[in-house]
């Protein structure tokens, strides 16, 4: 970054009809397009000096690029160009996070946030083929990619299919555990993708600013025999996770506003 003339590259036109925050955002966009992933950009106070703008203007320009996933703000460290995203394929056979990331040569790890039995919520019951209030296992985990928080997963499983699962090691592949311990394998499913803004809890867990854009998905899977197996909600950082769809295998339907 030392070879970038920031004062020249970020020179704005105060008298132009285009707002200053928009000018700064687009000039930043042009600069970071030529930067490698994980490259630090100047702090707000430095951008204020280079561009001759207020802190609010600098903050808004950076915020827009963070929302787009081009920049990532790391608490206590600064703002960086987005790292290369890890692609999770949405195809004919459901694949778990651990399995997908391992295939990509990344280092996936997991930390359990909550694991307990609970009554099945009304909104979840149809996906699991259960009556509302039936006992399920709720498993919330944070998934890390190369040590960085990447995704929060909240899985709902029918208790009768997974007796004793809360005594198992839940920090590895859930699909692997289901196959090896219970002989259950998700062979079909449906995943709906939308976008949400991070609330306080998600922001804190994923190390992103409050209101940062997140990818939100809801997934239902079933066994080969058609037995409902899981309903999982995922909130993923847009700078660390992307989803690719094989158009030869997957059918894409516009459903309207997503409610994962």
């Amino acid at each position: 970054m030392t070879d970038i003339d920031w004062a020249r590259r970020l020179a704005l036109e105060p008298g132009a009809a285009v707002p200053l925050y928009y000018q700064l955002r687009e000039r930043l966009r042009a600069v970071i397009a030529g930067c490698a992933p994980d490259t630090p950009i100047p702090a707000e106070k430095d951008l204020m000096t280079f561009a001759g703008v207020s802190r609010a203007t600098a903050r808004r320009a950076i915020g827009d690029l963070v929302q787009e996933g081009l920049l990532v703000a790391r608490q206590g460290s600064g703002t960086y160009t987005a790292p290369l995203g890890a692609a999770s394929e949405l195809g004919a056979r459901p694949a778990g996070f651990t399995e997908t990331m391992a295939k990509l040569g990344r280092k996936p790890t997991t930390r359990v946030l909550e694991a307990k039995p609970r009554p099945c919520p009304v909104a979840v019951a149809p996906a699991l083929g259960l009556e509302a209030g039936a006992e399920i296992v709720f498993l919330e985990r944070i998934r890390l990619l190369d040590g960085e928080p990447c995704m929060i997963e909240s899985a709902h499983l029918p208790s009768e299919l997974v007796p004793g699962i809360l005594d198992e090691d839940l920090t590895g592949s859930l699909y692997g555990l289901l196959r090896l311990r219970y002989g259950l394998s998700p062979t079909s499913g449906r995943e709906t993708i939308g976008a949400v803004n991070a609330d306080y809890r998600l922001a804190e867990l994923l190390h992103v600013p409050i209101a940062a854009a997140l990818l939100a998905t809801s997934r239902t899977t079933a066994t080969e025999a058609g037995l409902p197996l899981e309903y999982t909600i995922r909130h993923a950082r847009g700078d660390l996770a992307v989803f690719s769809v094989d158009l030869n295998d997957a059918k894409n339907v516009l459903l309207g506003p997503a409610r994962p």
Side-chain angles (χ1 to χ4, degrees):
M1 299 295 285
T2 55
D3 59 346
I4 295 176
D5 185 347
W6 286 101
R8 180 181 65 82
R9 297 293 299 272
L10 300 182
L12 307 184
E13 301 176 37
V18 180
L20 291 177
Y21 88 88
Y22 182 91
Q23 292 185 50
L24 178 57
R25 183 188 70 194
E26 296 311 303
R27 280 164 173 73
L28 278 171
R29 188 195 305 277
V31 175
I32 64 179
C35 295
D38 289 311
T39 298
I41 70 165
E44 280 183 5
K45 61 182 180 61
D46 295 320
L47 291 178
M48 292 165 59
T49 300
F50 294 136
V53 297
S54 67
R55 183 178 296 275
T57 297
R59 184 167 295 174
R60 182 172 181 183
I62 293 173
D64 282 0
L65 295 174
V66 169
Q67 291 277 11
E68 291 181 31
L70 297 178
L71 294 176
V72 55
R74 295 173 182 161
Q75 294 179 356
S77 177
T79 305
Y80 298 78
T81 56
L84 291 175
S88 179
E89 294 186 0
L90 305 179
R93 185 182 69 83
F97 176 85
T98 302
E99 177 184 0
T100 302
M101 296 306 108
K103 285 182 178 179
L104 294 173
R106 309 297 289 271
K107 183 181 178 182
T109 52
T110 299
R111 188 169 76 246
V112 177
L113 299 175
E114 186 175 357
K116 64 181 183 181
R118 66 161 52 169
C120 184
V122 174
V124 174
L128 295 179
L130 299 174
E131 296 289 335
E135 185 179 288
I136 62 170
V137 172
F138 176 73
L139 175 60
E140 184 179 55
R141 304 184 296 171
I142 183 167
R143 316 307 295 268
L144 300 98
L145 192 58
D146 301 326
E148 185 70 17
C150 173
M151 182 186 302
I152 305 295
E153 286 187 344
S154 301
H156 307 72
L157 307 167
S159 291
E160 62 180 15
L161 294 184
V162 290
I165 194 171
L166 295 177
D167 298 323
E168 301 288 338
D169 180 6
L170 300 175
T171 61
S173 167
L174 178 60
Y175 285 179
L177 176 61
L178 291 174
R179 283 192 293 267
L180 294 175
R181 175 71 171 80
Y182 300 99
L184 299 170
S185 181
T187 57
S188 63
R190 183 180 185 86
E191 189 144 22
T192 302
I193 307 173
V196 298
N197 296 110
D199 59 19
Y200 178 83
R201 180 173 183 268
L202 289 173
E204 184 175 38
L205 289 171
L206 291 173
H207 296 179
V208 298
I210 294 175
L214 302 176
L215 294 172
T217 77
S218 60
R219 170 185 286 197
T220 57
T221 63
T223 65
E224 187 173 6
L227 191 66
L229 183 57
E230 67 158 330
Y231 174 73
T232 296
I233 298 171
R234 300 192 289 180
H235 291 93
R237 283 172 48 169
D239 61 309
L240 289 180
V242 295
F243 295 91
S244 67
V245 179
D246 186 342
L247 297 179
N248 293 316
D249 295 327
K251 296 181 180 180
N252 300 282
V253 180
L254 182 62
L255 299 175
R259 295 179 176 84

